[in-house]
Amino acid sequence: MGADRFDSLARRLAALRSRRAVVAAAAAAALGIVGLAGPEGEQGAAIACRTGGELCRGDADCCAGTCRPKDGLGRRVCAHMAGEMACGYRCCAAGVPCLGGRCAAPTQTPTNTPTNTPTDTPTDTPTNTPTNTTTNTPPNTPTNTPTNTPTTTACTPACGSGQTCCDGTCANISDDTENCGACGHVCPHPATTCFDGGCCQTIIGDSDSCSETVPCCSPNGALCQDGVCCRPTGGNCHGQDSFCCSGVCKADGTCQ
């Protein structure tokens, strides 16, 4: 750039500053008339100061109070204020992005984006699966197997007089210890015989040979005394004192 062109540019910039100063002074005067201006010169200084990156001649021209030294082209620009960011020959306020050497207006991201996603999704899935599966098997299935199956076997040939057919065998229930008084009735211990259809004890003199349920056999003329079959006075004792209820067998062979 030639010296003449540079001087011309400087004069235009100075004239521009002069025009700005005139407009600022006029505005300050108008505000002073209506009482809106502050102390003298305060409002004019606020309007006339230049922001960071604008051309300046001295520190008083800049809002930051600093007019930076001349650059390679001989220009001086105002310094950035605290919190501002350099953007080409300008300064962007805090939070304002620099795009292509220009300060872009901050993008206002909408914060009221609806986030109330419906949460009332039905969760009551029917769980009442029928459980009353038919299981009522008829309970009246016949289970009572007849128990009255005959267990007696007929006697062949038929039993004679005084005998009874007991399961295919003829027996005299009056003296049979296996069928005493009835088929299948076995005389219990200590009975030793079946007499006249009843179980009884025939042994004389042995301890624990008789009881209330097992008496001594009457043909022997014996009595049950303290669980022992013994013979009363006059009964045959065959020289055995133990045969006698008195405990004495006399010389004549009878109980005392």
Side-chain angles (χ1 to χ4, degrees):
M1 177 184 294
D4 295 337
R5 295 183 63 189
F6 179 81
D7 292 339
S8 177
L9 176 61
R11 285 194 298 271
R12 286 198 298 271
L13 292 174
L16 177 61
R17 183 181 185 280
S18 299
R19 286 195 295 272
R20 288 182 180 177
V22 171
V23 173
L31 292 174
I33 293 173
V34 297
L36 297 178
E40 184 178 359
E42 181 179 347
Q43 186 68 24
I47 295 175
C49 72
R50 301 180 180 183
T51 61
E54 291 190 24
L55 295 175
C56 60
R57 290 182 178 182
D59 295 340
D61 296 337
C62 301
C63 297
T66 302
C67 183
R68 301 177 63 84
K70 293 181 180 181
D71 58 12
L73 299 178
R75 296 175 301 179
R76 299 181 66 186
V77 294
C78 291
H80 307 301
M81 296 183 66
E84 292 182 333
M85 180 182 66
C87 184
Y89 292 104
R90 296 181 179 276
C91 294
C92 298
V96 178
C98 177
L99 300 176
R102 295 176 178 270
C103 298
T107 304
Q108 297 182 351
T109 305
T111 57
N112 57 350
T113 305
T115 57
N116 52 347
T117 306
T119 57
D120 55 347
T121 305
T123 57
D124 52 346
T125 305
T127 56
N128 52 350
T129 305
T131 56
N132 54 350
T133 307
T134 307
T135 56
N136 50 349
T137 305
N140 54 353
T141 304
T143 57
N144 50 348
T145 306
T147 56
N148 55 353
T149 305
T151 56
T152 56
T153 305
C155 294
T156 305
C159 298
S161 176
Q163 290 186 326
T164 302
C165 181
C166 295
D167 196 17
T169 302
C170 294
N172 187 347
I173 60 175
S174 63
D175 59 7
D176 189 345
T177 55
E178 299 294 327
N179 302 280
C180 188
C183 290
H185 179 236
V186 180
C187 289
H189 179 80
T192 58
T193 190
C194 177
F195 177 75
D196 199 14
C199 298
C200 61
Q201 177 60 263
T202 58
I203 298 176
I204 304 298
D206 283 353
S207 59
D208 298 327
S209 58
C210 61
S211 64
E212 292 182 0
T213 57
V214 181
C216 299
C217 295
S218 57
N220 296 330
L223 302 176
C224 184
Q225 180 176 287
D226 298 329
V228 177
C229 289
C230 59
R231 291 179 177 169
T233 300
N236 295 327
C237 54
H238 305 289
Q240 301 292 328
D241 292 337
S242 60
F243 285 7
C244 299
C245 295
S246 62
V248 178
C249 183
K250 297 189 296 182
D252 61 1
T254 61
C255 292
Q256 182 175 332

